[in-house]
Amino acid sequence: MKKALLMVLVFICSCCKNDNNQFIKDNEFISQPGNYYHKSIKIIVKEFKDGSLIYGIADLRNNIIYQQDINKSFSNNSRWVLYIDKKDNIWFHTSDLQLTSVLLKGNLKYDYTYKRIYGNNTMPIPNEFKMNLK
């Protein structure tokens, strides 16, 4: 009887995942793989076995709103960051791909528009995000 109870306990413990699930607010940075919940969206930063990362945005029912191209994954060993500003825009930077982009929040609940940021860009970048890139 004790062996059966011990086996059930071991089985339950082994099935429990230790995901990095966090609730985040405006003006917060993400720099670790995991699942992050912000208002009505979920930001997923997935790490593969080879150490490469991609990120995606989904609603709370896991319907995909945006997913980074899997062929343009970035390394966890490089400098990368996701940032959510006060307007719910989601900023992304990776030194690995030398890429800075933003998902601009639209008027509708799950309306986001992808925009890549170039050096001569006229779009205002949040100061907190700029400071983190230095």
Side-chain angles (χ1 to χ4, degrees):
M1 181 68 167
K2 289 181 183 180
K3 286 183 181 180
L5 184 60
L6 182 62
M7 288 178 60
V8 169
L9 184 61
V10 168
F11 177 74
I12 290 172
C13 291
S14 67
C15 290
C16 294
K17 283 180 144 182
N18 189 10
D19 287 337
N20 186 9
N21 292 324
Q22 295 183 30
F23 292 92
I24 56 175
K25 303 175 193 169
D26 295 338
N27 295 329
E28 284 204 37
F29 292 93
I30 298 171
S31 59
Q32 296 293 321
N35 297 323
Y36 300 87
Y37 297 91
H38 177 72
K39 297 182 181 175
S40 63
I41 62 167
K42 180 169 131 179
I43 301 169
I44 304 108
V45 180
K46 172 74 175 159
E47 182 172 17
F48 296 104
K49 289 180 183 179
D50 66 355
S52 63
L53 301 165
I54 62 167
Y55 75 98
I57 313 297
D59 65 13
L60 297 179
R61 293 184 177 176
N62 290 326
N63 295 317
I64 297 172
I65 298 169
Y66 171 79
Q67 181 178 334
Q68 179 186 9
D69 184 356
I70 196 157
N71 294 320
K72 294 186 180 179
S73 62
F74 52 99
S75 172
N76 202 13
N77 297 322
S78 69
R79 182 182 167 112
W80 67 272
V81 68
L82 282 159
Y83 172 72
I84 300 175
D85 67 16
K86 294 175 187 172
K87 298 178 183 175
D88 295 336
N89 298 321
I90 302 169
W91 298 82
F92 172 69
H93 174 78
T94 176
S95 62
D96 202 12
L97 302 174
Q98 297 182 357
L99 171 71
T100 303
S101 62
V102 62
L103 288 167
L104 295 170
K105 176 77 169 95
N107 294 330
L108 302 175
K109 190 173 186 177
Y110 300 121
D111 180 26
Y112 284 89
T113 304
Y114 177 84
K115 186 167 189 155
R116 184 166 178 176
I117 307 296
Y118 295 99
N120 59 356
N121 186 49
T122 58
M123 176 179 235
I125 298 174
N127 289 331
E128 297 87 356
F129 185 64
K130 273 188 204 176
M131 296 302 290
N132 190 280
L133 299 181
K134 291 182 180 182

